[in-house]
């Protein structure tokens, strides 16, 4: 048997230096973060030339370890699979020690010693847990979001992780869907910028650096449009909606250099995404030129059988590889069926080889051919995990992500000497809930600092804290009032009540759809009784989706949306409650008044019978009989402890041509009594089109900090390309006509101006 270059280098030390040099010099990337490092192709060719067909198929298998379960079945015997070379990558395995042990199984036992790649769901932190992604999106702070992903990659890579299954870039407009927590919310523009920021954060400048990991844009595609918000359910939509709303964040991730894309569980227009040639071969690879690898979701190949799309599992494997899938996550079908499929000439060897090539290329870019153990470094692990600055970064991100939804009579911030505080609610002292779902290797038992702990520390002897859990949040707790009396007693004895309520952490995330958006369990009933004590009630929410808060909005004094704020969530909440941090988050998703308004989002169409304020008593309009059309809290909404005033918009032109740029400016003044941050938002509307256009579309924003009394002029520019859309004939470009432009503090609080575009433009892509 002729040894491959890898074996030569590792096993025969004499030859190691020259080959290591070749590989090291080849690992220097050209101008893009990871595309085609010089010298990669010959080395991968060399490997592929020496690999048997079975070894190539082996690279296409991704199996979970037995460390954690993130899906329905676990293929037994993964270690045996590694030794036998049937595995290209392992997920749900971490720590330097364990990944070393598994890596050794592959490097030392298989014929060619090809290194494994270790993947994991590092979604909002690895050990030091940041707010859930929806919360981070509420910061509208791209630099902070990128930093969060950077910290996560640094910690994860120190424990052997090469690859994260994040960012989740699914646009989500249905709060019943539990996975809304994992993405950036409802908006295409904001979601696309956040997708790119997260990819940059995870992958850094250079995939060859030991603190960067491969990112995954998931779930491709349209998973967020699941019918009735039920996870894994059907999606069906026009090509225009697909391309205008659901695909742009994936395109943004691809443009940012994302290394991998994960297919979704859903079918789209009758074809499961994992067997969807149109999505993978035509759009992702063909139109966008994606040259990383495509991985399935957890057994999503196998699920093409119950979908009713594949006759049997072998057929499912054939459909997936044909569509352009490279790696099978946990399904085992490539391992089981590709050889027979090739023998029967249903799949070609070339298809298998190109999938293996793409996977090997990523291993090369990660530097694993240079040193398969380079990420599994116990010393780096010891130094990196839970570094104080990482924990501080989680606290800072958590503060930035909180959204102040109501603040009657300046209830907040609390006075530094607040007297007696009654702290009530199932989330006030729960460590495990603070870090939300998909919290990777984050500790749930010791590290998280709860609101109770942080409040005790903050108060010291400046106030008294009375704590009572009060009510359960499980659905089955609904009738249980046993804790109410203790909570009410505390409330009656207090100057202010802080109720920390919301959803148990596992009520959002995967397989966590709901049919109501109420506070679950006995919380709503307790909240009513707390309010009835007459004491001011501050509601702090921890939840992974928009909740229906109409009663609370009408009755409590203040509401702070804290999402699941992460390991340092408690101190971050306390920072905001006391005004050490002035809240600056803005909703990345609409909060309906009631679940019956779903789906409700800001960039809706006008309809032919719009409900306008002058027609509220008319019947034959697009409206509900029993609720207004407007949401409770609009996309982009969020209060501050200070006030911001906007001047009228001034435009430098009221007419532009295809090559022109228009600049709109407003002056924003902080008229309150403290410094604060404002997210100045910029929207437009195309009044008439060859297909109808949304009533508003976000096209820019800037987060500014203004000292008390300070004014700043904020400018946004716009050209014809920014006005482009998929026209009646599906070409992409702008159409001449009249436009409205809006600038303001929320999608429903804006100043408006008009301009026109003369002449049309055509672009090749969005
Ligand atoms: C299924 C989830 O849909 C996906 O997001 C995740 O990455 C995989 N399981 C692996 O845990």
């Amino acid at each position: 048997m002729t040894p491959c270059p890898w074996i030569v280098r590792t096993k025969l030390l004499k030859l190691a230096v020259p080959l290591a040099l070749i590989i090291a010099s080849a690992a220097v990337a050209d101008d893009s973060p990871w595309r085609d490092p010089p010298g990669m192709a010959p080395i991968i060719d060399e490997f592929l030339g020496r690999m048997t067909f079975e070894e190539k198929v082996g690279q296409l298998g991704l199996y979970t370890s037995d460390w954690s379960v993130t899906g329905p079945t676990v293929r037994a015997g993964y270690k045996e699979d590694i030794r036998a070379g049937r595995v290209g990558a392992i997920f749900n395995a971490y720590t330097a020690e364990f990944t070393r042990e598994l890596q050794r199984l592959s490097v030392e036992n298989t014929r060619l010693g090809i290194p494994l790649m270790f993947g994991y769901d590092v979604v909002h932190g690895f050990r030091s847990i940041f707010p859930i992604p929806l919360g981070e999106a509420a910061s509208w702070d791209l630099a902070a979001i990128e930093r969060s992903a950077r910290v996560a990659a640094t910690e994860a890579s120190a424990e052997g992780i090469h690859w994260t299954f994040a960012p989740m870039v699914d646009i989500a407009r249905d709060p019943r869907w539990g996975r809304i927590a994992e993405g950036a919310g409802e908006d295409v523009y904001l979601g696309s910028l956040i997708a790119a920021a997260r990819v940059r954060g995870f992958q850094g400048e250079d995939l060859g650096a030991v603190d960067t990991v491969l990112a995954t844009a998931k779930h491709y595609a349209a998973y967020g449009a699941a019918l009735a918000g039920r996870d894994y359910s059907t999606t069906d939509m026009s090509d225009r909606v697909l391309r205008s709303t659901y695909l742009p964040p994936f395109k943004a991730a691809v443009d940012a250099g994302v290394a991998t894309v994960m297919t979704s569980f859903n079918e789209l227009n009758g074809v499961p995404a994992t067997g969807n040639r149109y999505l993978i071969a035509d759009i992702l690879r063909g139109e966008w030129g994606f040259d990383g690898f495509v991985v399935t979701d957890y057994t999503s190949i196998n699920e093409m059988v119950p979908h009713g799309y594949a006759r049997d599992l072998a057929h499912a494997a054939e459909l997936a590889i044909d569509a352009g899938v490279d790696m099978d996550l946990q399904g085992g079908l490539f391992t089981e069926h590709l050889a027979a499929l090739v023998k029967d000439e249903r799949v070609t060897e070339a298809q298998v080889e190109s999938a293996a090539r793409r996977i090997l290329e990523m291993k090369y870019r990660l530097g694993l051919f240079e040193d398969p153990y380079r990420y599994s470094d116990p010393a780096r692990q010891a130094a990196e995990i839970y570094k104080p600055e990482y924990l501080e970064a989680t606290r800072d991100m958590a503060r930035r992500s909180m959204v102040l939804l109501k603040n009657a009579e300046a209830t907040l911030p609390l006075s530094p000497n607040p007297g007696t505080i009654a702290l009530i609610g199932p989330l006030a002292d729960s460590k495990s809930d603070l870090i939300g779902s998909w919290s990777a290797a984050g500790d749930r038992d010791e590290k998280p600092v709860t609101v109770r702990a942080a409040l005790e520390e903050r108060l010291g002897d400046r106030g008294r804290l009375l704590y009572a859990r009060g009510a359960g949040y499980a659905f089955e707790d609904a009738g249980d009032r046993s804790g109410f009396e203790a909570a009410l007693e505390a409330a009656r004895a207090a100057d202010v009540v802080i109720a920390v309520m919301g959803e148990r952490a596992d009520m959002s995330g995967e397989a966590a759809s709901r049919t109501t958006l109420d506070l679950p369990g006995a919380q709503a009933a307790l909240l009513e009784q707390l309010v009835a004590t007459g004491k001011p009630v501050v509601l702090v929410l921890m939840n992974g989706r928009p909740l229906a808060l109409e009663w609370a909005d009408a009755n409590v004094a203040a509401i702070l949306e804290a999402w699941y704020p992460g390991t340092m969530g408690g101190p971050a909440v306390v920072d905001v409650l006391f005004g050490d941090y002035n809240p600056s988050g803005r909703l990345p998703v609409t909060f309906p008044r009631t679940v019956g308004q779903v789906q409700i989002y800001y960039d809706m169409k006008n309809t032919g019978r719009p409900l306008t304020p002058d027609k509220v008593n008319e019947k034959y309009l697009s409206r509900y009989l029993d609720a207004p059309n407007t949401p409770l809290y609009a996309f982009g909404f969020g209060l501050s402890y200070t006030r911001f005033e906007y001047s009228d918009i001034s435009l430098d032109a009221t007419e532009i041509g295809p090559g022109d740029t228009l600049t709109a400016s407003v002056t924003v003044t902080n008229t309150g009594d403290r410094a604060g941050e404002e997210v100045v938002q910029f929207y437009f509307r195309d009044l008439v089109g060859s297909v109808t256009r949304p009533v508003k579309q976000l096209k820019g924003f800037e987060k500014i900090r203004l000292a008390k009394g300070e004014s700043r002029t904020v400018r946004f520019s716009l050209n014809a390309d920014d006005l482009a859309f998929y026209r009646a004939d599906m070409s992409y470009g702008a159409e001449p006509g009249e436009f409205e432009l809006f600038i303001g503090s929320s999608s429903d609080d804006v100043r408006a101006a008009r301009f026109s575009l003369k002449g049309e433009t055509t672009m090749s892509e969005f």
Side-chain angles (χ1 to χ4, degrees):
M1 173 170 84
T2 326
C4 82
W6 174 242
I7 298 293
V8 170
R9 191 164 69 80
T10 52
K11 296 201 171 154
L12 300 175
L13 271 178
K14 265 202 304 201
L15 296 180
V17 173
L19 192 75
L21 279 178
I22 295 169
I23 293 178
S25 62
V28 180
D30 54 15
D31 55 342
S32 83
W34 54 264
R35 287 195 175 100
D36 292 341
M40 178 172 76
I43 287 173
I44 302 299
D45 285 346
E46 172 98 41
F47 271 102
L48 287 168
R50 288 166 192 251
M51 287 166 80
T52 63
F53 176 76
E54 286 69 29
E55 285 164 345
K56 289 175 196 164
V57 170
Q59 290 302 306
L60 279 43
L62 166 61
Y63 297 113
T64 182
S65 84
D66 49 9
W67 271 32
S68 73
V69 177
T70 55
T73 59
V74 176
R75 183 184 154 98
Y78 70 97
K79 288 190 182 169
E80 197 35 52
D81 281 335
I82 297 175
R83 277 194 210 93
R86 286 193 291 265
V87 184
I90 290 286
F91 70 113
N92 293 340
Y94 51 92
T95 72
E97 197 188 359
F98 188 40
T99 53
R100 250 175 198 270
E101 175 194 328
L102 298 182
Q103 190 68 288
R104 195 168 300 117
L105 289 184
S106 182
V107 169
E108 292 184 4
N109 290 287
T110 60
R111 191 177 71 97
L112 299 179
I114 296 177
L116 292 170
M117 205 160 49
F118 295 105
Y120 197 34
D121 290 285
V122 182
V123 173
H124 53 113
F126 175 69
R127 294 274 183 189
S128 306
I129 302 300
F130 287 82
I132 54 165
L134 188 63
E136 289 198 349
S139 72
W140 296 54
D141 187 332
L142 300 174
I145 291 170
E146 184 173 336
R147 197 160 54 240
S148 153
R150 186 88 292 285
V151 169
T154 308
E155 277 192 342
S157 61
E159 293 205 38
I161 301 298
H162 306 123
W163 173 22
T164 175
F165 306 143
M168 191 274 224
V169 305
D170 296 307
I171 295 294
R173 299 176 155 199
D174 192 329
R176 293 171 297 180
W177 191 55
R179 305 202 78 170
I180 198 168
E182 298 173 46
E186 74 185 35
D187 184 54
V188 182
Y189 178 81
L190 181 62
S192 299
L193 291 175
I194 290 176
R198 290 194 165 129
V199 170
R200 287 195 303 271
F202 287 129
Q203 297 194 167
E205 300 265 294
D206 174 11
L207 277 183
V210 80
D211 62 351
T212 59
V213 297
L214 308 181
T216 305
K218 72 184 189 186
H219 308 82
Y220 189 70
Y223 184 38
L227 199 66
R230 181 157 52 81
D231 206 2
Y232 317 121
S233 187
T234 308
T235 62
D236 200 305
M237 66 183 65
S238 69
D239 205 37
R240 175 170 290 105
V241 170
L242 175 71
R243 286 175 180 269
S244 312
T245 303
Y246 291 90
L247 293 190
F250 287 95
K251 174 65 164 45
V254 169
D255 288 346
V258 75
T260 76
V261 170
M262 182 185 284
T263 64
S264 52
F265 288 121
N266 56 290
E267 65 163 72
L268 173 66
N269 303 335
V271 180
T274 302
N276 200 312
R277 277 194 68 82
Y278 176 61
L279 283 176
I280 306 171
D282 299 350
I283 299 180
L284 181 64
R285 292 205 191 283
E287 294 180 29
W288 301 348
F290 173 69
D291 56 358
F293 70 83
V294 175
V295 61
T296 69
D297 203 344
Y298 204 111
T299 61
S300 65
I301 306 190
N302 316 47
E303 292 166 24
M304 288 198 278
V305 174
H307 267 297
Y309 188 65
R311 289 186 299 279
D312 52 29
L313 294 175
H315 186 209
E318 176 186 349
L319 289 166
I321 199 152
D322 249 354
V325 166
D326 300 304
M327 192 182 258
D328 174 359
L329 189 152
Q330 192 61 16
L333 297 190
F334 283 178
T335 319
E336 295 296 325
H337 297 288
L338 281 178
L341 288 167
V342 168
K343 191 155 159 277
D344 295 347
E345 297 182 359
R346 287 160 63 184
V347 168
T348 65
E349 273 202 66
Q351 284 177 288
V352 174
E353 175 155 325
S354 27
R357 176 183 292 278
R358 291 190 189 108
I359 293 158
L360 292 176
E361 283 177 354
M362 284 305 167
K363 294 184 177 183
Y364 182 91
R365 288 172 174 126
L366 287 165
L368 298 181
F369 287 115
E370 222 177 302
D371 175 3
Y373 303 102
R374 65 197 298 256
Y375 279 63
S376 309
D377 175 351
R380 203 160 77 82
Q381 171 175 307
E384 288 293 349
I385 300 316
Y386 290 123
K387 262 191 181 169
E389 68 237 53
Y390 298 163
L391 288 172
E392 195 45 43
T394 69
R395 176 175 179 167
D396 187 50
M397 186 77 237
R399 290 188 297 229
R400 288 169 194 272
S401 68
M402 289 177 198
V403 186
L404 184 64
L405 297 173
K406 179 178 182 188
N407 194 18
E409 289 157 35
T411 305
L412 294 177
L414 300 173
S415 125
N417 299 299
T420 300
I421 295 180
L423 178 68
I424 312 292
L427 288 142
D429 197 29
S430 165
K431 291 189 178 211
S432 62
D433 288 301
L434 270 180
I435 60 176
S437 69
W438 293 118
S439 39
D443 171 61
R444 309 191 149 262
D445 303 320
E446 299 295 327
K447 286 273 176 196
V449 184
T450 66
V451 175
R452 182 184 184 186
L455 210 46
E456 264 162 9
E457 157 112 31
R458 178 70 164 72
L459 280 179
D461 52 15
R462 281 176 297 183
R464 198 156 69 105
L465 186 65
L466 305 174
Y467 165 75
R469 187 169 187 268
Y473 50 11
F475 298 119
E476 51 278 13
D477 292 334
D480 181 359
R481 306 277 192 276
S482 57
F484 281 26
E485 198 36 52
L488 293 170
E489 203 177 303
R492 285 184 215 110
D495 298 294
V496 59
V497 177
I498 299 175
V500 189
M501 296 184 167
E503 300 177 290
R504 205 175 54 201
D506 64 358
M507 289 179 184
S508 57
E510 188 179 352
S513 296
R514 295 186 58 193
T515 59
T516 70
L517 302 174
D518 304 333
L519 285 170
Q523 297 179 99
L526 175 60
L527 189 63
E528 285 184 26
Q529 297 198 19
L530 290 171
V531 169
T533 64
K535 297 297 167 83
V537 175
V538 176
L539 176 62
V540 176
L541 290 166
M542 293 186 188
N543 48 292
R545 54 162 57 80
L547 295 175
L549 300 168
E550 228 179 356
W551 189 90
D553 181 71
N555 292 285
V556 304
I559 306 178
L560 178 68
E561 175 56 79
W563 316 103
Y564 296 110
T567 310
M568 295 297 283
V573 166
V574 170
D575 289 342
V576 173
L577 292 179
F578 282 89
D580 301 337
Y581 182 84
N582 186 352
S584 67
R586 303 290 183 260
L587 293 178
V589 64
T590 303
F591 274 44
R593 294 171 190 276
T594 139
V595 71
Q597 289 180 313
V598 169
Q599 296 184 17
I600 178 169
Y601 44 89
Y602 84 93
D603 61 337
M604 293 196 127
K605 300 293 186 70
N606 201 36
T607 80
R609 294 189 178 192
L611 176 65
T612 48
D614 54 315
K615 292 187 179 164
V616 283
N617 295 321
E618 287 185 27
K619 177 171 170 65
Y620 293 100
L621 298 175
S622 181
R623 64 180 304 171
Y624 298 104
L625 291 177
D626 53 359
N629 284 3
T630 52
L632 184 62
Y633 304 122
F635 173 83
F637 172 74
L639 302 170
S640 164
Y641 294 151
T642 186
R643 284 184 312 280
F644 298 101
E645 272 171 25
Y646 283 69
S647 70
D648 283 337
I649 299 175
S650 89
L651 297 182
D652 68 349
T654 52
E655 188 180 302
I656 56 170
D660 301 336
T661 297
L662 170 148
T663 302
S665 40
V666 290
T667 301
V668 185
T669 306
N670 179 349
T671 57
D673 59 5
R674 63 174 65 214
E677 287 165 283
E678 168 73 329
V679 179
V680 185
Q681 300 162 38
F682 176 54
Y683 300 85
F684 79 94
R685 175 177 181 183
D686 186 345
L687 293 176
V688 179
S690 61
V691 293
T692 59
R693 313 293 305 123
V695 292
K696 240 173 231 147
Q697 281 177 272
L698 186 70
K699 239 337 169 219
F701 62 87
E702 198 177 326
K703 192 163 186 174
I704 56 170
R705 184 179 171 79
L706 293 178
K708 172 181 165 186
E710 189 183 348
S711 289
R712 173 119 27 111
T713 299
V714 179
R715 295 185 175 78
F716 295 102
S717 47
L718 191 84
N719 60 33
D721 291 351
D722 295 318
L723 306 171
F725 64 102
Y726 287 97
R727 297 177 287 208
D729 62 359
M730 283 305 284
S731 63
Y732 190 72
E735 290 175 348
E738 292 292 306
F739 294 81
E740 245 180 323
L741 178 153
F742 313 94
I743 301 179
S745 61
S746 156
S747 62
D748 69 349
D749 180 14
V750 290
R751 306 283 174 119
R754 278 173 94 112
F755 70 97
S756 57
L757 172 70
K758 302 281 177 221
E760 96 179 31
T761 64
T762 297
M763 297 158 72
S764 57
E765 59 176 30
F766 57 81

